[in-house]
Amino acid sequence: DGALSTALADRDGAALILPASQTLSATVRIGGAVAEADLTTGTVPGSVFTLAPTSIVTQTGRLAGFNGVGTIVNQGTVQATVQGGAFQVGPSLVLNNTGTIGVGNGDFTTIGSLANAGRVSVVTGGVLTLQGYTASPAGRLNETNATLNLLGPLTLPALNTVSRSGGIVSLG
């Protein structure tokens, strides 16, 4: 299946370029203090890259994200929890989540397009902005004492997957 074994992009301006139609099974730390460090899918439109169920992507520096074009399928875990950090999924990517995404601790996360069939949690001081959001009935988007901004077109079925406990949920 073309599985990759390990990867590390944990410094300013670093990029781990992910080949299309591959699966990554690894623990990956990404983030820079001054310049963004990214997992990048490249420039092939329509490409799909998969983070396996065993993959853990953790933001370790202030600036991090996913970049490129196509689709990233997250079957594993993505954590954006750096105080004052910024994690961005580029506007030319669709993040198809069947795994877990966590945002918290004052991290500001922006996702251009999220298709959610997994679990997304925004907790204590985290800020998650979704510029496009669709969800299957199995998908869950939980906000607890944080901020969730749902921008762009939304459907009632997608809104039915959202739960709030304290904090702010805004529709825009």
Side-chain angles (χ1 to χ4, degrees):
D1 79 37
L4 303 172
S5 60
T6 62
L8 176 66
D10 192 16
R11 65 183 195 281
D12 289 332
L16 176 62
I17 299 174
L18 308 170
S21 302
Q22 296 292 306
T23 298
L24 177 68
S25 179
T27 297
V28 180
R29 300 179 334 207
I30 60 173
V34 177
E36 186 171 314
D38 290 321
L39 292 181
T40 302
T41 61
T43 60
V44 179
S47 63
V48 177
F49 186 85
T50 302
L51 296 168
T54 56
S55 289
I56 301 170
V57 177
T58 303
Q59 179 183 359
T60 57
R62 196 173 66 80
L63 303 169
F66 297 156
N67 233 322
V69 299
T71 301
I72 292 180
V73 176
N74 175 46
Q75 298 173 341
T77 301
V78 177
Q79 291 291 326
T81 57
V82 172
Q83 176 66 39
F87 190 98
Q88 180 170 343
V89 177
S92 297
L93 276 176
V94 172
L95 181 56
N96 185 340
N97 181 54
T98 59
T100 302
I101 298 171
V103 178
N105 196 34
D107 198 279
F108 292 84
T109 298
T110 302
I111 300 174
S113 180
L114 175 66
N116 188 34
R119 181 165 303 279
V120 178
S121 297
V122 191
V123 299
T124 313
V127 177
L128 175 60
T129 299
L130 299 175
Q131 296 167 335
Y133 178 66
T134 58
S136 76
R140 293 291 171 254
L141 178 52
N142 303 312
E143 176 278 322
T144 305
N145 299 319
T147 300
L148 173 61
N149 300 308
L150 298 169
L151 309 177
L154 292 167
T155 64
L156 188 55
L159 286 175
N160 285 336
T161 69
V162 177
S163 68
R164 175 184 165 268
S165 177
I168 299 167
V169 174
S170 66
L171 305 175

